[in-house]
């Protein structure tokens, strides 16, 4: 299927339910009888980050479901402000239980950590495969700080979409800018004060704050323990220029998950899918075809049990 043909694949709106009956927004592409692949974005992102990959997965015979995490995009904000790893994992468990069969999980950054914990600490049939996107058990402090600094710097919004585009370009100087700022409108919301704000709950940063050394060690130990219990086929896709996951960090993950495959995407940073989407999507599909046979036929409907 050509790029032009893939661009016509319909992304259908979908509403799912998280822990505590929290409403979660999603989009899906592909037939409901095909193997499900759940796409989980990073902190501060939305399901729209996966649009290209979702269409590629659907064209390859998979039911792609891109989910807005709680407090992000069009999903409901947590009434109690709980955006902890446990809350995210509880949402994921609810979503997976609603699907016809256990999905493959593709998680970037925050979504990857959520997937790792959910699989490592959950029942053995929780998911059928795991793709971690530029996330591992040991993270580089400077890279994490740069991400959080960018998120904190713009909680007051932007005067225009052009201003927002300039901020994104400064954060990702290696990425070629879009021809239009229209795409940013999916991740920003215009409020009555005339400013554009990222479409996520600012209280999310309360759980993404820099941890003291002792807290960070506890979090890393939890991730390591979860990784050692992962038995499903696993792929780590790392941005070759990432400042969040180092080559050493990737090797350490493979020591914890000996069967894990590693794939570096050259000329990509932490936002791998956005930097080199074709290369990224190809790697995901090739991996899935080895462990999760694709469906056949033409997608005509979408049903979630």
């Amino acid at each position: 299927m050509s790029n032009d043909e893939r661009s016509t694949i319909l992304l259908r709106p979908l509403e799912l339910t998280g822990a505590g009956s929290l409403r979660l927004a999603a989009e899906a592409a592909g037939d409901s009888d095909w193997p499900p692949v759940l796409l989980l974005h990073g902190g501060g992102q939305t399901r729209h980050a996966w649009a290209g990959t979702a269409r590629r997965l659907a064209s390859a015979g998979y039911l792609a479901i891109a989910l807005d995490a709680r407090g992000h995009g069009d999903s409901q904000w947590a009434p109690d402000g709980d955006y902890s790893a446990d809350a995210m994992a509880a949402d994921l468990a609810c979503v997976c239980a609603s699907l016809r069969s256990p999905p493959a999980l593709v998680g970037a950054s925050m979504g990857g950590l959520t997937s790792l914990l959910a699989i490592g600490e959950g029942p053995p049939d929780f998911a059928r495969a795991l793709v971690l996107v530029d996330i591992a058990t040991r993270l580089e402090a400077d890279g994490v700080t740069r991400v959080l600094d960018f998120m904190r710097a713009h909680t007051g919004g932007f005067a225009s979409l052009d201003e927002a585009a300039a901020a994104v370009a400064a954060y990702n100087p290696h990425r070629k800018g879009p021809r239009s700022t229209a795409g940013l409108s999916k991740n920003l919301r215009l409020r009555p004060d005339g400013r554009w704000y990222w479409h996520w709950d600012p209280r999310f940063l309360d759980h993404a704050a820099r941890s003291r050394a002792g807290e960070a060690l506890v979090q890393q130990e939890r991730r390591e323990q979860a990784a050692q219990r992962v038995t499903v086929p696993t792929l780590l896709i790392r941005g070759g220029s990432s400042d969040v996951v180092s080559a050493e960090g990737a090797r350490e993950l493979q020591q914890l998950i000996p069967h894990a495959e590693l794939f570096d995407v050259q000329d990509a940073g932490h936002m791998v899918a956005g930097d080199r989407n074709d290369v990224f999507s190809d790697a995901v599909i090739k991996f899935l075809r080895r462990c999760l046979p694709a469906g056949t036929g033409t997608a005509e409907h979408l049903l979630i049990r």
Side-chain angles (χ1 to χ4, degrees), residues 14-296:
L14 185 65
E15 185 171 304
L16 300 172
T17 303
S21 299
L22 200 73
R23 180 184 54 78
L24 302 176
E27 287 182 336
D31 194 281
S32 62
D33 291 331
W34 293 349
V37 180
L38 195 56
L39 302 166
L40 306 170
H41 61 73
Q45 292 185 311
T46 70
R47 68 186 187 277
H48 300 297
W50 297 115
T53 299
R55 291 187 172 95
R56 289 288 305 276
L57 286 166
S59 70
Y62 294 97
L63 170 62
I65 303 173
L67 179 71
D68 276 341
R70 60 167 54 204
H72 291 68
D74 295 315
S75 285
Q76 184 181 351
W77 289 12
D80 56 359
D82 187 358
Y83 297 104
S84 64
D86 288 327
M88 297 285 185
D91 288 341
L92 179 55
C94 290
V95 170
C96 288
S98 73
L99 303 178
R100 291 189 171 191
S101 61
L105 301 181
V106 179
S109 196
M110 176 189 76
L113 292 178
T114 301
S115 300
L116 176 65
L117 293 176
I119 290 179
E121 298 176 352
D125 59 348
F126 187 87
R128 296 179 64 182
L130 172 64
V131 179
L132 298 172
V133 186
D134 209 64
I135 205 69
T137 54
R138 182 172 71 82
L139 309 178
E140 302 304 314
D142 288 348
V144 173
T145 296
R146 194 171 77 91
V147 172
L148 295 179
D149 284 347
F150 173 76
M151 296 177 70
R152 290 191 184 95
H154 305 289
T155 55
F158 302 95
S160 66
L161 290 178
D162 286 334
E163 184 180 301
V168 173
Y171 176 75
N172 286 318
H174 61 280
R175 184 188 296 184
K176 184 178 179 181
R179 296 179 182 178
S180 168
T181 60
L184 277 173
S185 64
K186 294 180 178 180
N187 296 322
L188 292 155
R189 290 295 182 272
L190 182 63
R191 294 186 185 172
D193 63 1
R195 295 183 65 80
W196 292 86
Y197 293 84
W198 293 121
H199 203 38
W200 45 269
D201 187 347
R203 294 178 299 174
F204 167 74
L205 289 174
D206 294 340
H207 290 278
R210 298 184 185 91
S211 300
R212 292 189 295 271
E215 293 173 335
L217 181 60
V218 170
Q219 293 169 6
Q220 180 172 327
E221 289 178 346
R222 180 182 180 184
R223 294 193 294 265
E224 291 173 348
Q225 291 171 2
Q228 290 176 313
R229 292 192 288 267
V230 172
T231 59
V232 299
T234 301
L235 170 66
L236 167 60
I237 299 181
R238 174 181 170 269
S241 303
S242 173
D243 58 357
V244 174
V245 177
S246 65
E248 181 182 3
R251 288 192 294 270
E252 288 183 8
L253 178 73
Q254 196 170 38
Q255 291 174 355
L256 295 166
I257 311 177
H259 62 274
E261 303 176 31
L262 304 180
F263 183 81
D264 275 12
V265 178
Q266 299 305 314
D267 301 320
H270 183 54
M271 307 299 181
V272 185
D275 290 346
R276 301 288 306 279
N277 188 260
D278 282 348
V279 176
F280 167 79
S281 298
D282 282 345
V284 171
I285 291 170
K286 288 178 181 178
F287 166 74
L288 290 177
R289 281 177 170 163
R290 294 195 297 272
C291 58
L292 189 63
T296 59

